[in-house]
Amino acid sequence: MSTNYATIARNGIWDNNVVFGQLLALCPLLAVTGTATNGLGMGLASTAVMVGSGLAVSVLRKVITPEIRIPAFVLLIATLVTVVDLAMNAWLHDLHKMLGLFIPLIVTNCAILGRAEAFASRQTPLASAFDGLMMGLGFTIALVVLGAVREILGSGTLFANASLLLGPRFGGLEVTVIPDYQGFLLMILPPGGFIVLGALLALKAVIDRRAHGGPNRTERPQANRVFTAAGALSRDAAAGERP
């Protein structure tokens, strides 16, 4: 069976996005996205776990029996999260301290276990790894966009402290969007996360409606006329058969 990688990419990034399509992982989403830098770090860590878990589950899918598949999947995910946690503590210590408990809590991300059960356990290793990459990329985009909007409205900066948290190579991302801005504290606090998330969900709904709603509006009247005509013919035929 051939794998449509374009469909997998579209589902992961847009149609079936972890945040905007499935409304999963909202706890880390709202907690760590006070800045775009934190969102990028959390997204990259989650993407590494998604790719690794998808690949591991696909490779071992014929070895793991159906009766123990869920505990086995959780064990694999927890092992990968531990590796990512230790690696970030070793090489990205400041970011590790900033994200804190939310790195180990990647284990509880329903999206990772859900993709392992729904996709990786039924597909080839390459397709499963690609699906994990696209799902992780979509999750990272959601984290960065939400963090960027909150950071700009809350403090007037973008990717603040990227060089300290992610390394000197990311220093070029640091931008002061609104100079001499006093800040809007609500946007940095959790209520601001809910407000921005609601606005982004509404924006995605509008985009989807404009992309798919136009053709449906023009096709429905024509389809209704066809069904009405067919119904009229059926009634006429039934009336003609009566004695």
Side-chain angles (χ1 to χ4, degrees):
M1 182 176 63
S2 60
T3 302
N4 191 335
Y5 288 96
T7 300
I8 294 175
R10 180 179 176 84
N11 285 335
I13 296 176
W14 185 261
D15 292 338
N16 201 28
N17 185 279
V18 172
V19 175
F20 301 134
Q22 305 180 59
L23 290 179
L24 297 176
L26 297 185
C27 179
L29 176 82
L30 297 173
V32 306
T33 54
T35 66
T37 304
N38 293 347
L40 179 59
M42 187 67 184
L44 294 178
S46 301
T47 300
V49 175
M50 286 184 179
V51 174
S53 63
L55 181 61
V57 168
S58 180
V59 170
L60 299 174
R61 70 185 188 280
K62 296 182 179 179
V63 178
I64 301 174
T65 60
E67 293 79 10
I68 64 167
R69 69 186 188 282
I70 300 301
F73 293 166
V74 173
L75 179 61
L76 289 172
I77 294 170
T79 302
L80 291 169
V81 170
T82 302
V83 173
V84 171
D85 186 28
L86 293 175
M88 292 184 66
N89 192 18
W91 290 299
L92 298 172
H93 184 65
D94 292 331
L95 180 62
H96 182 271
K97 290 193 300 182
M98 182 67 67
L99 298 179
L101 182 64
F102 291 100
I103 300 176
L105 285 179
I106 295 176
V107 177
T108 63
N109 192 330
C110 299
I112 301 176
L113 181 59
R115 295 312 294 176
E117 168 67 13
F119 192 92
S121 62
R122 296 172 173 81
Q123 300 293 334
T124 63
L126 181 60
S128 300
F130 185 75
D131 177 75
L133 178 62
M134 292 299 104
M135 283 289 169
L137 181 59
F139 183 50
T140 303
I141 291 174
L143 287 168
V144 172
V145 170
L146 185 64
V149 174
R150 293 178 64 186
E151 183 180 356
I152 292 172
L153 297 178
S155 58
T157 60
L158 183 62
F159 289 104
N161 300 320
S163 59
L164 296 176
L165 299 178
L166 299 175
R169 296 181 180 179
F170 291 86
L173 296 177
E174 299 178 6
V175 179
T176 300
V177 180
I178 308 176
D180 300 326
Y181 181 57
Q182 298 299 321
F184 186 24
L185 182 60
L186 178 64
M187 289 294 103
I188 302 177
L189 297 176
F194 282 102
I195 295 172
V196 176
L197 176 61
L200 293 177
L201 290 173
L203 178 61
K204 182 179 184 298
V206 170
I207 294 174
D208 288 338
R209 187 178 298 113
R210 289 185 177 181
H212 304 291
N216 292 335
R217 295 193 189 97
T218 58
E219 291 173 2
R220 284 174 184 170
Q222 183 178 0
N224 290 337
R225 288 195 298 270
V226 171
F227 289 133
T228 303
L233 291 175
S234 299
R235 289 195 298 270
D236 293 342
E241 292 176 358
R242 295 175 184 172

